[in-house]
Amino acid sequence: MESDAFELYDLRVEVVVVDDRKIQCNAKPGDWFEVRGEVLHFPPGQGFSMYSLAALLPLLPAKQRATHPNDWMSTDAEVACPDPHCPTRFRITRLGKRVFTHGQTTAVPLVQTP
């Protein structure tokens, strides 16, 4: 049987500000969280806007996976705040890779093809 292992990147999402307009999402430059596997890790005492998080969540699983070097997911790293009046961006940085196995992540058996 072949290995059921696969790799995902750990991610860091950090708040960056692109100009001096008032921040609308209650973020502070340098606020961050990390994604390790499927778990979000926030520093103690730091909050994060649920609207900002909702804009980021669909991108995080794709950013965790290896992509072709020409794929925009490999090169584009900043996501705008969902409030069009807010100057913040959320920079997604790929950190180290972590190895998982199919058996650790789902109850559905892996079907081997001949």
Side-chain angles (χ1 to χ4, degrees):
M1 179 176 189
E2 290 184 36
S3 171
D4 68 343
F6 63 96
E7 294 180 325
L8 295 177
Y9 284 98
D10 288 342
L11 304 175
R12 185 178 188 105
V13 179
E14 183 176 358
V15 175
V16 294
V17 179
V18 296
D19 63 42
D20 60 357
R21 289 178 290 153
K22 181 182 184 295
I23 295 173
Q24 301 296 325
C25 64
N26 294 312
K28 294 176 191 67
D31 281 356
W32 61 274
F33 67 89
E34 289 185 356
V35 182
R36 296 180 216 134
E38 64 182 25
V39 180
L40 304 179
H41 295 267
F42 296 88
Q46 181 191 286
F48 209 88
S49 163
M50 70 176 175
Y51 303 109
S52 299
L53 194 56
L56 289 162
L57 284 175
L59 299 172
L60 298 179
K63 198 72 169 170
Q64 283 185 297
R65 285 157 172 76
T67 51
H68 189 279
N70 296 340
D71 188 326
W72 70 270
M73 190 60 70
S74 299
T75 59
D76 296 20
E78 292 189 3
V79 177
C81 179
D83 185 329
H85 303 289
C86 187
T88 58
R89 300 286 183 269
F90 304 99
R91 183 173 295 140
I92 304 170
T93 304
R94 287 175 166 169
L95 304 174
K97 291 181 181 176
R98 193 177 297 266
V99 176
F100 296 89
T101 65
H102 184 270
Q104 291 172 317
T105 58
T106 182
V108 176
L110 186 61
V111 177
Q112 296 293 321
T113 56

